[in-house]
Amino acid sequence: MDYSNVVSAIIGAFFGSGAGGILLKIYLDHRLTIERDEFAEKRLFLQKQREASSAVVEILGEWVRSNYAGTPLTNERRWQLQTVYWKNILLLDKRLIDLLFPLLANAPGTITTNEMIVQTRKVLLGLPEPDIKAADLNNWLPVRERIAE
């Protein structure tokens, strides 16, 4: 049974079937519908935030992978990176794309990967200014094995 039907039934039991009861039922049904729609809209917005966040992380993760693994960027790896990029770029807001393009192109003066994360957070959370700094983020650099002499 729908929540609005339960409330309507309770109100009907208390107020009878008079005009006041009917008007109150209509009003409450309307308010519950509005609240349900607002809740659904907020859930959709949060889902889109999560998807955009995941898209940026997946692109950046694939992009820095060869540096962490210490392996050259082969054509196979380039194809994999390109595929991840294409799949995820479709989900992103234009503001994020404008930040991401120069970074992936290694353009001079571009932001760092950590700064990209900070700016992504700013865009997705709708902050006027970033609430964290790139220097605040943790980085676990790859461990390079030493060759015994």
Side-chain angles (χ1 to χ4, degrees):
M1 181 178 269
D2 189 15
Y3 180 67
S4 63
N5 289 340
V6 171
V7 171
S8 297
I10 292 171
I11 290 171
F14 284 126
F15 293 103
S17 60
I22 292 171
L23 289 176
L24 188 57
K25 177 194 178 312
I26 291 170
Y27 172 76
L28 287 175
D29 282 346
H30 178 69
R31 287 296 310 151
L32 290 172
T33 301
I34 289 172
E35 288 178 24
R36 187 174 38 235
D37 291 346
E38 287 173 353
F39 181 73
E41 197 172 298
K42 186 174 181 177
R43 250 187 5 201
L44 180 62
F45 177 76
L46 291 173
Q47 179 63 28
K48 286 184 178 187
Q49 273 185 324
R50 282 190 290 273
E51 288 172 358
S53 174
S54 293
V56 169
V57 168
E58 192 171 359
I59 291 169
L60 291 177
E62 283 296 321
W63 187 63
V64 300
R65 187 176 185 183
S66 61
N67 285 342
Y68 270 77
T71 57
L73 191 57
T74 63
N75 284 337
E76 181 68 26
R77 286 282 304 122
R78 283 180 188 272
W79 175 80
Q80 185 175 6
L81 174 60
Q82 187 70 60
T83 302
V84 167
Y85 170 77
W86 283 333
K87 178 180 83 174
N88 288 292
I89 205 74
L90 299 173
L91 300 172
L92 294 181
D93 181 283
K94 176 79 165 100
R95 295 169 294 174
L96 293 175
I97 291 171
D98 290 343
L99 291 168
L100 198 55
F101 281 175
L103 175 64
L104 297 177
N106 290 318
T110 189
I111 61 175
T112 64
T113 304
N114 279 358
E115 186 61 33
M116 180 65 201
I117 293 168
V118 169
Q119 292 301 318
T120 298
R121 180 179 166 80
K122 177 185 165 202
V123 169
L124 292 179
L125 297 178
L127 302 172
E129 292 297 322
D131 60 346
I132 60 174
K133 296 178 187 140
D136 296 338
L137 298 176
N138 291 334
N139 282 315
W140 294 274
L141 298 176
V143 176
R144 304 286 184 220
E145 295 183 27
R146 293 183 184 200
I147 300 174
E149 293 180 23

mmCIF file of all heavy atoms in Angstrom, residues 35-51:
data_model
loop_
_atom_site.group_PDB
_atom_site.id
_atom_site.type_symbol
_atom_site.label_atom_id
_atom_site.label_comp_id
_atom_site.label_asym_id
_atom_site.label_seq_id
_atom_site.Cartn_x
_atom_site.Cartn_y
_atom_site.Cartn_z
ATOM 1 N N GLU A 35 7.036 16.127 -2.157
ATOM 2 C CA GLU A 35 8.185 15.641 -1.373
ATOM 3 C C GLU A 35 8.832 14.422 -2.022
ATOM 4 O O GLU A 35 10.051 14.307 -2.066
ATOM 5 C CB GLU A 35 7.760 15.334 0.060
ATOM 6 C CG GLU A 35 7.477 16.576 0.870
ATOM 7 C CD GLU A 35 7.013 16.259 2.277
ATOM 8 O OE1 GLU A 35 7.313 15.162 2.788
ATOM 9 O OE2 GLU A 35 6.343 17.128 2.862
ATOM 10 N N ARG A 36 8.012 13.518 -2.533
ATOM 11 C CA ARG A 36 8.534 12.320 -3.194
ATOM 12 C C ARG A 36 9.317 12.705 -4.457
ATOM 13 O O ARG A 36 10.394 12.175 -4.719
ATOM 14 C CB ARG A 36 7.382 11.374 -3.527
ATOM 15 C CG ARG A 36 7.818 10.030 -4.055
ATOM 16 C CD ARG A 36 6.667 9.055 -4.240
ATOM 17 N NE ARG A 36 5.460 9.680 -4.732
ATOM 18 C CZ ARG A 36 4.272 9.589 -4.130
ATOM 19 N NH1 ARG A 36 4.132 8.899 -3.038
ATOM 20 N NH2 ARG A 36 3.210 10.198 -4.642
ATOM 21 N N ASP A 37 8.793 13.660 -5.219
ATOM 22 C CA ASP A 37 9.489 14.122 -6.427
ATOM 23 C C ASP A 37 10.801 14.820 -6.082
ATOM 24 O O ASP A 37 11.813 14.629 -6.768
ATOM 25 C CB ASP A 37 8.600 15.057 -7.239
ATOM 26 C CG ASP A 37 7.415 14.348 -7.883
ATOM 27 O OD1 ASP A 37 7.422 13.092 -7.914
ATOM 28 O OD2 ASP A 37 6.483 15.044 -8.339
ATOM 29 N N GLU A 38 10.805 15.636 -5.037
ATOM 30 C CA GLU A 38 12.034 16.311 -4.612
ATOM 31 C C GLU A 38 13.080 15.296 -4.162
ATOM 32 O O GLU A 38 14.267 15.437 -4.465
ATOM 33 C CB GLU A 38 11.743 17.304 -3.489
ATOM 34 C CG GLU A 38 11.017 18.550 -3.949
ATOM 35 C CD GLU A 38 10.578 19.440 -2.792
ATOM 36 O OE1 GLU A 38 10.721 19.038 -1.616
ATOM 37 O OE2 GLU A 38 10.073 20.549 -3.080
ATOM 38 N N PHE A 39 12.645 14.290 -3.439
ATOM 39 C CA PHE A 39 13.556 13.249 -2.980
ATOM 40 C C PHE A 39 14.142 12.485 -4.168
ATOM 41 O O PHE A 39 15.346 12.219 -4.220
ATOM 42 C CB PHE A 39 12.838 12.294 -2.022
ATOM 43 C CG PHE A 39 13.708 11.207 -1.487
ATOM 44 C CD1 PHE A 39 14.681 11.480 -0.535
ATOM 45 C CD2 PHE A 39 13.579 9.900 -1.939
ATOM 46 C CE1 PHE A 39 15.500 10.483 -0.039
ATOM 47 C CE2 PHE A 39 14.401 8.897 -1.458
ATOM 48 C CZ PHE A 39 15.353 9.188 -0.501
ATOM 49 N N ALA A 40 13.304 12.159 -5.150
ATOM 50 C CA ALA A 40 13.773 11.436 -6.340
ATOM 51 C C ALA A 40 14.754 12.296 -7.130
ATOM 52 O O ALA A 40 15.765 11.796 -7.642
ATOM 53 C CB ALA A 40 12.588 11.032 -7.213
ATOM 54 N N GLU A 41 14.487 13.597 -7.211
ATOM 55 C CA GLU A 41 15.382 14.515 -7.923
ATOM 56 C C GLU A 41 16.741 14.604 -7.225
ATOM 57 O O GLU A 41 17.786 14.599 -7.867
ATOM 58 C CB GLU A 41 14.724 15.892 -7.992
ATOM 59 C CG GLU A 41 15.308 16.814 -9.013
ATOM 60 C CD GLU A 41 14.472 18.079 -9.139
ATOM 61 O OE1 GLU A 41 13.288 17.981 -9.511
ATOM 62 O OE2 GLU A 41 15.033 19.147 -8.852
ATOM 63 N N LYS A 42 16.717 14.672 -5.913
ATOM 64 C CA LYS A 42 17.966 14.734 -5.153
ATOM 65 C C LYS A 42 18.765 13.444 -5.310
ATOM 66 O O LYS A 42 19.979 13.472 -5.473
ATOM 67 C CB LYS A 42 17.670 14.986 -3.675
ATOM 68 C CG LYS A 42 18.909 15.201 -2.848
ATOM 69 C CD LYS A 42 18.586 15.581 -1.427
ATOM 70 C CE LYS A 42 19.866 15.815 -0.662
ATOM 71 N NZ LYS A 42 19.623 16.252 0.704
ATOM 72 N N ARG A 43 18.087 12.305 -5.291
ATOM 73 C CA ARG A 43 18.765 11.019 -5.494
ATOM 74 C C ARG A 43 19.398 10.932 -6.874
ATOM 75 O O ARG A 43 20.517 10.454 -7.027
ATOM 76 C CB ARG A 43 17.766 9.863 -5.316
ATOM 77 C CG ARG A 43 18.011 9.075 -4.087
ATOM 78 C CD ARG A 43 17.168 7.855 -3.957
ATOM 79 N NE ARG A 43 16.317 7.549 -5.077
ATOM 80 C CZ ARG A 43 15.257 6.799 -5.020
ATOM 81 N NH1 ARG A 43 14.913 6.262 -3.887
ATOM 82 N NH2 ARG A 43 14.535 6.546 -6.076
ATOM 83 N N LEU A 44 18.700 11.424 -7.879
ATOM 84 C CA LEU A 44 19.227 11.431 -9.245
ATOM 85 C C LEU A 44 20.467 12.324 -9.333
ATOM 86 O O LEU A 44 21.460 11.953 -9.956
ATOM 87 C CB LEU A 44 18.154 11.895 -10.229
ATOM 88 C CG LEU A 44 18.565 11.952 -11.693
ATOM 89 C CD1 LEU A 44 18.945 10.563 -12.202
ATOM 90 C CD2 LEU A 44 17.431 12.525 -12.532
ATOM 91 N N PHE A 45 20.420 13.491 -8.703
ATOM 92 C CA PHE A 45 21.563 14.402 -8.689
ATOM 93 C C PHE A 45 22.773 13.746 -8.025
ATOM 94 O O PHE A 45 23.892 13.812 -8.546
ATOM 95 C CB PHE A 45 21.191 15.698 -7.963
ATOM 96 C CG PHE A 45 22.328 16.654 -7.831
ATOM 97 C CD1 PHE A 45 22.757 17.398 -8.919
ATOM 98 C CD2 PHE A 45 22.984 16.811 -6.615
ATOM 99 C CE1 PHE A 45 23.817 18.284 -8.795
ATOM 100 C CE2 PHE A 45 24.044 17.690 -6.491
ATOM 101 C CZ PHE A 45 24.465 18.429 -7.573
ATOM 102 N N LEU A 46 22.563 13.094 -6.895
ATOM 103 C CA LEU A 46 23.659 12.414 -6.196
ATOM 104 C C LEU A 46 24.223 11.270 -7.029
ATOM 105 O O LEU A 46 25.439 11.052 -7.058
ATOM 106 C CB LEU A 46 23.192 11.903 -4.831
ATOM 107 C CG LEU A 46 22.884 12.983 -3.802
ATOM 108 C CD1 LEU A 46 22.266 12.361 -2.547
ATOM 109 C CD2 LEU A 46 24.124 13.777 -3.451
ATOM 110 N N GLN A 47 23.371 10.558 -7.740
ATOM 111 C CA GLN A 47 23.822 9.474 -8.609
ATOM 112 C C GLN A 47 24.692 10.020 -9.739
ATOM 113 O O GLN A 47 25.728 9.446 -10.070
ATOM 114 C CB GLN A 47 22.632 8.694 -9.180
ATOM 115 C CG GLN A 47 23.005 7.569 -10.098
ATOM 116 C CD GLN A 47 23.800 6.478 -9.414
ATOM 117 O OE1 GLN A 47 23.677 6.253 -8.216
ATOM 118 N NE2 GLN A 47 24.648 5.802 -10.161
ATOM 119 N N LYS A 48 24.283 11.144 -10.313
ATOM 120 C CA LYS A 48 25.073 11.760 -11.383
ATOM 121 C C LYS A 48 26.418 12.246 -10.848
ATOM 122 O O LYS A 48 27.433 12.148 -11.547
ATOM 123 C CB LYS A 48 24.304 12.906 -12.030
ATOM 124 C CG LYS A 48 23.184 12.427 -12.921
ATOM 125 C CD LYS A 48 22.501 13.574 -13.623
ATOM 126 C CE LYS A 48 21.417 13.042 -14.539
ATOM 127 N NZ LYS A 48 20.834 14.093 -15.357
ATOM 128 N N GLN A 49 26.453 12.760 -9.635
ATOM 129 C CA GLN A 49 27.714 13.165 -9.005
ATOM 130 C C GLN A 49 28.648 11.979 -8.874
ATOM 131 O O GLN A 49 29.838 12.071 -9.183
ATOM 132 C CB GLN A 49 27.472 13.740 -7.607
ATOM 133 C CG GLN A 49 27.164 15.189 -7.545
ATOM 134 C CD GLN A 49 27.061 15.651 -6.099
ATOM 135 O OE1 GLN A 49 26.575 14.925 -5.224
ATOM 136 N NE2 GLN A 49 27.517 16.852 -5.849
ATOM 137 N N ARG A 50 28.121 10.865 -8.379
ATOM 138 C CA ARG A 50 28.937 9.658 -8.207
ATOM 139 C C ARG A 50 29.469 9.159 -9.546
ATOM 140 O O ARG A 50 30.626 8.747 -9.654
ATOM 141 C CB ARG A 50 28.134 8.560 -7.504
ATOM 142 C CG ARG A 50 28.017 8.742 -6.013
ATOM 143 C CD ARG A 50 27.435 7.507 -5.345
ATOM 144 N NE ARG A 50 26.031 7.319 -5.654
ATOM 145 C CZ ARG A 50 25.029 7.868 -4.980
ATOM 146 N NH1 ARG A 50 25.261 8.651 -3.979
ATOM 147 N NH2 ARG A 50 23.790 7.615 -5.327
ATOM 148 N N GLU A 51 28.632 9.178 -10.576
ATOM 149 C CA GLU A 51 29.056 8.722 -11.901
ATOM 150 C C GLU A 51 30.162 9.609 -12.465
ATOM 151 O O GLU A 51 31.136 9.112 -13.025
ATOM 152 C CB GLU A 51 27.868 8.678 -12.854
ATOM 153 C CG GLU A 51 26.900 7.554 -12.558
ATOM 154 C CD GLU A 51 25.631 7.618 -13.383
ATOM 155 O OE1 GLU A 51 25.469 8.573 -14.192
ATOM 156 O OE2 GLU A 51 24.781 6.728 -13.222
#
